[in-house]
Structure formats: C-alpha cells, structure tokens
Amino acid sequence: MVELHSFVPTSSTAQKVANWGHLNRKVLSKLNFRIPEEMIQQLVQSRPGMAEQLLQLLREKIQEKQRQRKGETG
C-alpha cells in the first residue's frame, strides 16, 4: 500500500511536510481520511502528544469503517 521509496528521509521541515502531504494524498485518502494541515505542522515540529492524537483519529476512522461494513453485511 505504501511505496517507501516515495518518501525522502530528511531532517528538513519542508521535506517532512511534503512527506506527510504525500501520505495524505496517496494512502490516507483511500480511507477517506486526511490529516489537517495544522496537525501536520505540529507533527513535523514534534509537538508532544500529537502522534497519539493522530493515531487515535485513525483508529476511530478504522472502527467507523468496520461498523459500516458490518451494517452492510448484517
């Protein structure tokens, strides 16, 4: 699902933002999920707790999709 060669290893803030944007467009969009720009900025700046917030949002989105699928088949 994710081609790792598409992401540039970097310490550059601009490239980190670009990598997150690529992840948004190519991977997360397939889940109907997008990371808001402000959250990307905070992730890139290593704001404490931000990664956990992102993972929680992603978990909720996955659980929502699972509930929808159960409703379609059940």
Side-chain angles (χ1 to χ4, degrees):
M1 182 176 203
V2 179
E3 298 290 334
L4 292 181
H5 70 271
S6 300
F7 296 90
V8 178
T10 186
S11 58
S12 159
T13 299
Q15 187 58 54
K16 287 179 184 180
V17 170
N19 284 343
W20 278 105
H22 183 76
L23 187 68
N24 247 352
R25 286 187 309 279
K26 298 292 184 174
V27 179
L28 299 176
S29 65
K30 293 177 182 172
L31 299 170
N32 274 344
F33 182 75
R34 289 191 61 79
I35 303 170
E37 184 63 33
E38 183 175 324
M39 181 176 273
I40 289 174
Q41 292 296 330
Q42 293 173 356
L43 286 162
V44 166
Q45 296 166 7
S46 301
R47 179 172 167 228
M50 192 51 55
E52 291 84 352
Q53 286 183 33
L54 171 61
L55 291 172
Q56 182 62 37
L57 286 173
L58 186 56
R59 180 181 184 196
E60 290 169 6
K61 185 65 174 180
I62 291 169
Q63 289 174 335
E64 176 185 317
K65 286 268 190 201
Q66 289 173 335
R67 283 192 298 273
Q68 287 174 354
R69 285 192 179 131
K70 276 186 179 178
E72 291 173 2
T73 60

